[in-house]
Amino acid sequence: MKLLVTGGAGFIASNYIRHILSTYPDYHIINLDKLTYAGNLENLKDIETSDRYTFIKGDICDGELLRETEFDAIINFAAESHVDRSILDAQPFLQTNVMGTCSLLEIARQRGCTFLHVSTDEVYGSTTEGAFNEASPLLPNSPYAASKASSDLLVRSYVETHNLKAMITRCSNNYGPYQFPEKLIPLVIINALNRNPIPVYGDGMNVRDWIHVTDHCRAVDAVFHNGTTGGIYNIGSRNERQNIEIVNLILSIVAEKFHVEEKVLTNLISYVRDRKGHDRRYAIDPSRIEQEIGWKPDINFEDGIEKTIEWYISNKQWWQRILSGDYMTYYNTQYGERLKT
Ligand code: NAD
Ligand code: DAU
């Protein structure tokens, strides 16, 4: 099986590639990634020399490149993924998340190959009661969420019109190793370690539903093998937390590990102006994937967050090279292209 994984240098897909290579000895992964600011080939250092792994620097919008590339199936992780950036400039979100998905759907249609589209619970918008299921209406609130909802609808249209064997997964908030430090959990860990201010948006009471990245990767793989054409599968681990609760939990674990008074770290918390259109609460009902596919999460949040903190403590160089910008030169040293700037 030659699997085209898009966005493989990002947080979730790099974890996914590692998971697939160690699970299936006969799989070959082709990682197609544009290497935007969020793409970091250092996430894949340990597997980059595998003869079952090929990296291609390229854009999912590039139809010609897709036609030149051989593969049997597509797992589409590539996206502009950060809500705050979509508020500042929606354009790249539409380009990659919508137009890019369209190019991939086209090549999948021409080749008749399976297409798994990795989407998000943010397409459902915000809810005060209950949890989103797959029949919940699409009510995206941020430009990021709107671009993901648009791509989900495009996938649906290729199933209905062209009978493409495509599936959609919609996962809740991920955490774990290799997450880019613009996202809440790595940001809080790193700022606590560096004793920098920890920005909490609004009143800190917004709720997210957290899942460990490895559980998400296992779920995507389970849907790839056992999902039905046109199937939509919510992925979550029934783990709702207020942001401030997450922040305090991280700070208490860091304080304990470094034998510092918790107050020293909680003093770093800084309530800042709220995100525009900030969704109040996400909650995912994963009953369908549990009942129809037999997937369930393995990692309990308290264990997962402690291991994640330990990972960031042991991999200081990984995030320091992101903060300094040095990670961007890795491609050039490994793959021989000269830096343009
Ligand atoms: P990320 O921002 O860490 O990584 C995105 C990757 O896509 C980067 O390597 C980037 O270089 C690449 N990319 C961007 N534009 C590209 C293009 N035009 N062509 C090729 N590659 C391109 O993202 P992530 O957090 O790992 O999210 C991966 C996917 O999972 C996204 O589709 C996102 O919507 C979805 N998702 C994320 C979460 C989460 O909590 N992070 C939750 C649910 C769903
Ligand atoms: O729900 C799935 C989504 O989760 C994915 O589709 C997105 O790609 C991913 O980025 C994530 O979106 P969020 O906006 O929920 O994640 P973020 O880490 O940016 O923020 C989590 C919560 O923490 C949110 O309520 C905003 C808040 N926050 C975030 C940052 C970066 C803060 O309070 N302070 C911060 O500095």
Side-chain angles (χ1 to χ4, degrees), residues 81 120-122 144 173 183-184 199 201 208 243 275 278:
S81 72
T120 169
D121 61 358
E122 297 202 11
Y144 161 70
N173 282 63
K183 304 290 199 301
L184 180 71
Y201 298 166
R208 295 294 181 265
N243 293 338
R275 175 184 277 174
H278 195 175

Side-chain angles (χ1 to χ4, degrees), residues 6-13 32-40 58-61 76-82 96 118-121 144 148 170-175 179-180 182-183 216:
T6 70
F11 162 48
I12 302 174
L32 172 65
D33 197 297
K34 187 178 170 182
L35 297 185
T36 67
Y37 78 92
N40 183 358
D59 192 326
I60 58 167
C61 301
N76 182 29
F77 285 96
E80 285 295 335
S81 72
H82 196 48
T96 286
V118 178
S119 192
T120 169
D121 61 358
Y144 161 70
K148 292 296 287 189
R170 293 184 180 143
C171 191
S172 61
N173 282 63
N174 284 221
Y175 70 97
Q179 187 165 30
F180 200 82
E182 65 189 349
K183 304 290 199 301
H216 182 193

Side-chain angles (χ1 to χ4, degrees), residues 271-316:
Y271 286 91
V272 298
R273 197 174 59 190
D274 209 357
R275 175 184 277 174
K276 283 186 184 172
H278 195 175
D279 283 337
R280 194 63 175 165
R281 173 174 170 264
Y282 303 145
I284 270 280
D285 174 2
S287 305
R288 181 178 185 192
I289 187 173
E290 289 173 344
Q291 285 158 19
E292 291 182 20
I293 310 261
W295 169 90
K296 63 174 179 44
D298 274 347
I299 302 176
N300 150 287
F301 186 69
E302 274 67 27
D303 292 344
I305 199 77
E306 178 153 9
K307 293 225 165 59
T308 300
I309 293 169
E310 285 164 2
W311 187 88
Y312 280 85
I313 292 171
S314 315
N315 290 276
K316 214 169 173 181

Side-chain angles (χ1 to χ4, degrees), residues 206-227:
N206 298 62
V207 172
R208 295 294 181 265
D209 192 348
W210 294 93
I211 184 172
H212 193 275
V213 64
T214 305
D215 280 332
H216 182 193
C217 293
R218 287 177 40 252
V220 168
D221 186 43
V223 170
F224 178 66
H225 285 101
N226 303 306

Side-chain angles (χ1 to χ4, degrees), residues 225-254:
H225 285 101
N226 303 306
T228 55
T229 295
I232 298 173
Y233 301 90
N234 280 355
I235 302 169
S237 61
R238 298 189 177 85
N239 179 43
E240 288 179 50
R241 311 266 167 160
Q242 286 182 334
N243 293 338
I244 192 65
E245 189 192 330
I246 298 272
V247 171
N248 282 323
L249 177 62
I250 294 172
L251 297 185
S252 71
I253 297 172
V254 172

